[in-house]
Amino acid sequence: MANEDRAVGVVGLGNMGLGMAATLLGQGFAVAGYDLSAERCALAGAAGVTIAHDLPTLARGAATVVLSLPLARHVAATVEGDDGLVAHALAGSVIIDTSTSEAATSRRLAALCAARSIGFLDAPVSGGPAGASAGTLAIMIGGEASHVAAARPVLDAMGTKVLHVGPSGAGNVAKLVNNLLVASHLLTMSEAMRLSEAAGVPAADVLMVVNAASGRSAVSEVNYPRWIESGGFDSGFTMGLMRKDVGLAAALAAEVGANLPMSELAARLWSESAVGLADGEDFNRITQWHPGPRSSS
Ligand code: NAD
């Protein structure tokens, strides 16, 4: 790989983006970063990331640009416009959008980029800040195979499971489906734990059984021991981001006319929990919340 191909720009140096930037640095890439927050830029600078003062500067110096931004509209604002990436990126470069974004936005941006010979992959990730820092993310990708091939070294540096799902937008759909499951599993596991306690068997004992039997999931095997039972609630993924994902999954279901009654209930409960659980709280806190006592019939 030529030296110039090892120049990567990372836009969004938050919980995920900073970990990815540090991983890429550790794997020998030259990493430039950009974030609206001076505090995040300072942290990234201290980790060895070269801070770009604006997006055009970052775009002109990178063969690959990784985005890690909160919402689809932030992704669009970063890519489009006179000062956006598409106006300044090198022909042949690839933008890897790891944000949990929207398929329609990804398809529009991929078409815009293609007109200028720039690749755009929707490549949302799973594995949290710990996976970003360790380079062990699962990455689910929508886009053209040639762009995936060009971005391979960067994708392989950031993740251990790099899955090309299909055309533009397919990565976003896969991510929303995955997170809808996690959001639902958190609710059903917390209900199962409450049932167990109410019936006189300590939750920890039933958790041990679930994890040795067929009711287990990543929520029971990872979230419960690591962030819930430990009392840590420091996963680095917030209630606000999970509410966003559940809302996007519900919007996708409405758009494609899918009738998903269980998921609709899960989406309603995640939304109602906003009364007691602020967006900044750890998303595992949903297991401490419930909609009140059983109504008598
Ligand atoms: P975060 O809020 O910690 O970081 C986002 C960063 O983007 C912030 O530092 C913010 O200042 C910056 N930013 C916002 N708008 C910007 C712009 N226009 N230009 C430059 N910088 C801008 O969020 P996060 O937890 O790192 O999540 C990032 C994305 O990854 C989200 O889409 C999230 O849904 C997804 N994700 C997060 C996790 C997790 O566990 N945190 C896991 C998987 C996926």
Side-chain angles (χ1 to χ4, degrees):
M1 201 178 189
N3 273 348
E4 58 273 19
D5 292 344
R6 297 194 70 83
V8 181
V10 179
V11 180
L13 299 163
N15 285 328
M16 296 298 287
L18 182 51
M20 291 184 226
T23 294
L24 290 166
L25 274 175
Q27 303 243 358
F29 290 89
V31 182
Y34 176 79
D35 196 296
L36 295 179
S37 153
E39 190 189 337
R40 297 309 295 185
C41 287
L43 274 177
V49 174
T50 304
I51 300 304
H53 294 296
D54 52 35
L55 286 171
T57 308
L58 179 138
R60 285 193 287 267
T64 313
V65 177
V66 176
L67 309 183
S68 179
L69 297 164
L71 301 172
R73 68 180 157 80
H74 300 125
V75 174
T78 301
V79 173
E80 294 172 315
D82 290 348
D83 293 328
L85 293 170
V86 77
H88 300 276
L90 305 171
S93 62
V94 179
I95 297 171
I96 304 173
D97 178 22
T98 68
S99 321
T100 303
S101 182
E102 297 168 38
T105 301
S106 294
R107 290 181 193 123
R108 180 165 57 81
L109 297 179
L112 191 70
C113 286
R116 298 214 47 234
S117 301
I118 297 159
F120 183 96
L121 302 173
D122 48 294
V125 296
S126 179
S133 299
T136 56
L137 293 167
I139 310 180
M140 45 216 96
I141 305 171
E144 287 186 22
S146 61
H147 297 146
V148 178
R152 255 292 160 186
V154 173
L155 293 165
D156 284 343
M158 297 193 298
T160 43
K161 292 176 189 152
V162 177
L163 305 164
H164 185 193
V165 188
S168 185
N172 297 133
V173 172
K175 173 67 180 174
L176 294 185
V177 167
N178 182 75
N179 277 26
L180 180 60
L181 280 172
V182 176
S184 303
H185 289 169
L186 280 162
L187 292 170
T188 52
M189 262 303 288
S190 67
E191 287 194 2
M193 296 295 95
R194 283 207 301 281
L195 171 61
S196 158
E197 291 273 358
V201 179
D205 294 350
V206 165
L207 180 63
M208 182 180 67
V209 172
V210 167
N211 280 337
S214 51
R216 70 189 184 280
S217 64
V219 163
S220 68
E221 290 185 316
V222 179
N223 296 47
Y224 263 81
R226 193 177 293 174
W227 298 303
I228 300 166
E229 289 221 303
S230 70
F233 293 99
D234 56 355
S235 72
F237 189 56
T238 61
M239 287 294 302
L241 285 176
M242 187 53 116
R243 284 193 188 108
K244 169 192 83 165
D245 295 355
V246 172
L248 288 176
L252 182 66
E255 184 187 321
V256 300
N259 181 16
L260 312 173
M262 291 271 289
S263 303
E264 272 175 31
L265 177 57
R268 180 162 66 73
L269 293 173
W270 273 87
S271 172
E272 284 176 2
S273 71
V275 174
L277 279 174
D279 275 354
E281 296 276 358
D282 191 276
F283 81 120
N284 290 292
R285 288 276 181 203
I286 191 75
T287 58
Q288 316 287 292
W289 175 90
H290 62 90
R294 182 188 175 92
S295 54
S296 52
S297 49

